[in-house]
Every structure is written in structure tokens, then in C-alpha cells.
Amino acid sequence: MEINFYDKAKELHQSNVVVDCHLDLGGIVYNRSKEGEEKILDRLFYEDMRREGFNFIVGAIFVETEFAIEMALKIALLQ
């Protein structure tokens, strides 16, 4: 009997909690909003996350090292 790994993975995915433990979502939204984009989550992420069954996301925060500590903190909080 041949195992269909795609079907097995899909079954596991659908019957368990799906967690993304590192997504640069805050940085992506922050940087794109600075450029004037709107509804970034709706346009770029929501439908894919809903369709793929994501239940929980841990968003990472990243700030370039070029910023002074006060500005870095402000950027991190904005994310």
C-alpha cells in the first residue's frame, strides 16, 4: 500500500491546531502602511490564513540596528 503523504499532511493539518511561530506580520504591516498602503491584513493575509486554517500566530518584531534605542522602541511598539 502506497502512502499519500500530501493527503496525510492535509489530514493532520485539518485535525490539529496550526501555529505559525514566526511571522514578520508587524513589520510587514508597519512598513507597507508607511508607504501609504491600507487594509494590508485584509488584502495580503486574511484569506490565506483563513483558508489554510491558521489558529494561532506568533508575530515577530524586528527593528533595524541603525535606530537609537528610543526610536527602536517606538518602531517596535508601532508594529
Side-chain angles (χ1 to χ4, degrees), residues 24-34 40-41 59-63 67 69-79:
D24 293 324
L25 190 60
I28 293 166
V29 172
Y30 174 74
N31 290 327
R32 287 177 172 259
S33 66
K34 283 188 349 186
I40 299 157
L41 291 174
I61 295 175
F62 174 77
V63 179
F67 296 106
I69 193 74
E70 293 84 8
M71 182 56 88
L73 177 59
K74 181 179 179 179
I75 291 170
L77 292 171
L78 287 170
Q79 290 184 34

Side-chain angles (χ1 to χ4, degrees), residues 10-25:
K10 187 174 180 179
E11 176 187 324
L12 285 170
H13 178 79
Q14 291 175 340
S15 62
N16 291 281
V17 173
V18 178
V19 178
D20 181 334
C21 288
H22 182 100
L23 178 61
D24 293 324
L25 190 60

Side-chain angles (χ1 to χ4, degrees), residues 30-66:
Y30 174 74
N31 290 327
R32 287 177 172 259
S33 66
K34 283 188 349 186
E35 299 296 321
E37 288 188 51
E38 296 179 353
K39 298 186 178 185
I40 299 157
L41 291 174
D42 291 339
R43 289 186 306 99
L44 301 179
F45 296 99
Y46 178 73
E47 188 58 36
D48 287 341
M49 290 177 179
R50 188 194 63 73
R51 181 183 62 247
E52 299 302 327
F54 281 78
N55 303 104
F56 187 85
I57 296 170
V58 176
I61 295 175
F62 174 77
V63 179
E64 297 289 340
T65 58
E66 65 194 52

